[in-house]
């Protein structure tokens, strides 16, 4: 997911997307533990997407307070 896509979303959409990514991250960790994970690169990608969303959400909330 690109940063430009994330910036165009509202705070509610960001929270929904963050929740979905955290669920996916949990499922990926579970698959890894049971030996069923096929796309190992997806773990890193999901982790970075979560970080991007959190960063942009923090920027937006800081912009509203200022």
């Amino acid at each position: 997911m690109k940063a430009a896509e994330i910036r165009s979303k509202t705070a509610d959409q960001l929270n929904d997307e963050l929740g979905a990514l955290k669920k996916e991250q949990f499922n990926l960790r579970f698959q890894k533990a049971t030996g069923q994970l096929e796309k190992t690169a997806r773990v890193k990608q999901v982790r970075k997407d979560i970080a991007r969303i959190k960063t942009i959400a923090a920027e937006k909330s800081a912009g509203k307070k200022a």
Side-chain angles (χ1 to χ4, degrees):
M1 182 175 293
K2 301 276 185 182
E5 294 174 32
I6 298 171
R7 289 184 199 282
S8 67
K9 295 186 178 188
T10 65
D12 289 335
Q13 290 173 328
L14 288 177
N15 286 333
D16 292 343
E17 186 70 30
L18 185 61
L21 285 170
K22 286 192 174 218
K23 283 181 184 178
E24 184 179 356
Q25 184 182 36
F26 173 79
N27 290 332
L28 289 171
R29 281 197 317 247
F30 196 87
Q31 288 176 8
K32 184 178 180 184
T34 59
Q36 297 174 350
L37 184 62
E38 292 180 10
K39 295 182 181 180
T40 56
R42 184 70 181 140
V43 175
K44 185 176 180 181
Q45 187 179 8
V46 168
R47 194 172 67 236
K48 286 188 174 197
D49 284 345
I50 290 172
R52 271 192 201 101
I53 289 175
K54 283 185 172 183
T55 301
I56 292 172
E59 287 174 359
K60 285 186 175 193
S61 67
K64 288 183 181 178
K65 290 178 184 175

